[in-house]
Amino acid sequence: MNIDVKPAAVAELKKVEYGEGEGVRIESIFIGSCSIASEHHLKIDQKKEGDDLFLVEGIPLLVSKESQENLHEHISLDFNPSMGYKLTSAEETYRYNLKLERA
């Protein structure tokens, strides 16, 4: 997996104080329905078994194997003060208006 963190998101994520073993979890949970659907979340969380840790611009990013199955190989994270975080890939926009929360 390749994660591109845009400059605005880097600046915002560098304001966060991370505890020992913590990072920003990019989560994609398959919820299923009449169509293929997933929920996407962004939260500060502890690294768990089965997580991959990606260090991008000094920011620890956590993505579980399950979430990686629901995301494309190359994803991007951006930030807009009025719209929150945006998670995208070249193939699709996963979600706008993501809020960074503490797990």
Side-chain angles (χ1 to χ4, degrees):
M1 170 163 267
N2 186 350
I3 305 171
D4 178 32
V5 183
K6 303 294 185 186
V10 168
E12 199 65 20
L13 292 172
K14 284 196 172 191
K15 295 176 185 176
V16 176
E17 290 189 30
Y18 303 99
E20 183 70 31
E22 283 186 332
V24 177
R25 179 173 302 283
I26 299 173
E27 192 170 56
S28 179
I29 302 169
F30 178 74
I31 56 172
S33 66
C34 297
S35 63
I36 297 172
S38 293
E39 288 184 355
H40 299 90
H41 305 278
L42 198 61
K43 56 188 171 187
I44 299 168
D45 199 3
Q46 288 286 321
K47 186 176 185 306
K48 299 174 184 164
E49 188 176 327
D51 287 344
D52 284 332
L53 171 65
F54 301 87
L55 274 176
V56 180
E57 300 283 334
I59 300 162
L61 301 171
L62 306 169
V63 187
S64 70
K65 301 289 186 204
E66 179 184 351
S67 289
Q68 289 181 50
E69 291 176 11
N70 298 323
L71 298 166
H72 291 281
E73 178 62 27
H74 183 93
I75 61 173
S76 294
L77 185 64
D78 204 353
F79 180 77
N80 179 309
S82 63
M83 300 271 303
Y85 291 93
K86 177 174 76 169
L87 183 63
T88 62
S89 70
E91 293 82 6
E92 67 183 290
T93 297
Y94 297 110
R95 184 163 169 207
Y96 288 98
N97 201 25
L98 280 167
K99 305 276 188 258
L100 181 61
E101 300 172 349
R102 196 164 276 280

